[in-house]
Amino acid sequence: MTVLIAGIPGNTTNYEHALSRCRIRCETSLHPENLSSYDKLLLPGGGDIHPSRFGQEDRGSAAADKALDEAQFSLLHAFLQAGKPVLGICRGMQIINVYLGGDLIQDLPTAPLHRWSGQDQAHQAQTEPGSLLSAFCPPLCQVNSAHHQGCGRIGTGLTVTQWSPDGVPEAVEHENGRILGVQWHPERTHLLSHLPDMIDGGRIIRYFAESL
């Protein structure tokens, strides 16, 4: 099995390491030559999506990259058309939501609780019982955040299955059972030794590889 990381080579090291630790073969590219050689798609974190993608004027978005948006939306479209599993992380979850007709809150009222501040923010999250996520996340757990935007209107077929105490969606799942997005960063929780109660991100990586 091979996972395509839809990112810029050199900018996705944490994701590559996380997959390698789980013995999952992966490659990073925005323009792969042969999509049929990849079994699953991982949409990584990154900067803000251009607000024109969800029909809004700029209301606090930063450093949007239209070329990156186009490449990632195109890859997501191709994998969904092929019926292949997709995991979205942080920006990747937002890409999934926008692609399916949702939109974003461009600058959360509670952004300081989630925004990168020299390190990830740690906060509690509540998981919906019976969801895909509940296979490896307890009803209440600690997650790590590094974002200032969040999902607003939820896209077609998606359900919010985890949220933070301030109501920000922390995970979405698609009704087809093959699309999962998390707003937090499971690919680097192993690096957060100062946050000993953090959920083990390796569990979601393995779930993506083995069950999604």
Side-chain angles (χ1 to χ4, degrees):
M1 184 188 68
T2 303
V3 172
L4 174 63
I5 302 173
I8 300 171
N11 289 358
T12 59
T13 303
N14 284 345
Y15 301 90
E16 294 165 9
H17 287 172
L19 289 164
S20 295
R21 282 195 309 277
C22 295
R23 299 181 181 180
I24 303 164
R25 186 172 182 270
C26 64
E27 296 177 7
T28 296
S29 178
L30 291 172
H31 304 286
E33 292 184 5
N34 184 10
L35 285 181
S36 65
S37 62
Y38 302 100
D39 304 286
K40 302 186 179 189
L41 177 69
L42 191 154
L43 293 163
D48 295 345
I49 301 166
H50 197 279
S52 63
R53 281 279 176 178
F54 45 94
Q56 294 182 11
E57 299 294 326
D58 189 342
R59 300 171 189 160
S61 295
D65 182 337
K66 287 188 174 181
L68 177 61
D69 292 348
E70 179 61 30
Q72 290 183 329
F73 275 95
S74 293
L75 287 171
L76 175 59
H77 177 78
F79 273 76
L80 295 187
Q81 288 294 302
K84 295 181 178 181
V86 177
L87 172 63
I89 294 175
C90 196
R91 169 190 164 93
M93 169 172 146
Q94 296 170 5
I95 289 275
I96 291 169
N97 187 55
V98 171
Y99 174 86
L100 292 171
D103 67 7
L104 303 179
I105 299 171
Q106 294 186 48
D107 196 40
L108 293 166
T110 54
L113 300 177
H114 301 269
R115 182 185 284 116
W116 171 264
S117 61
Q119 63 184 32
D120 286 356
Q121 298 283 356
H123 61 77
Q124 194 175 71
Q126 182 176 344
T127 307
E128 182 69 22
S131 62
L132 296 178
L133 208 64
S134 67
F136 45 84
C137 286
L140 290 176
C141 59
Q142 287 281 109
V143 298
N144 58 319
S145 287
H147 63 100
H148 76 106
Q149 299 193 330
C151 291
R153 183 180 68 250
I154 301 303
T156 302
L158 294 176
T159 300
V160 177
T161 56
Q162 190 180 63
W163 53 93
S164 57
D166 55 345
V168 173
E170 294 292 333
V172 293
E173 300 174 11
H174 194 270
E175 59 190 12
N176 70 7
R178 310 199 84 189
I179 305 170
L180 175 62
V182 293
Q183 187 62 69
W184 39 284
H185 285 271
E187 81 284 357
R188 64 176 182 245
T189 51
H190 70 291
L191 301 175
L192 303 179
S193 59
H194 61 291
L195 301 174
D197 297 326
M198 190 65 53
I199 189 75
D200 177 9
R203 298 182 69 186
I204 191 171
I205 300 296
R206 287 188 290 273
Y207 180 87
F208 171 54
E210 299 168 5
S211 303
L212 198 62

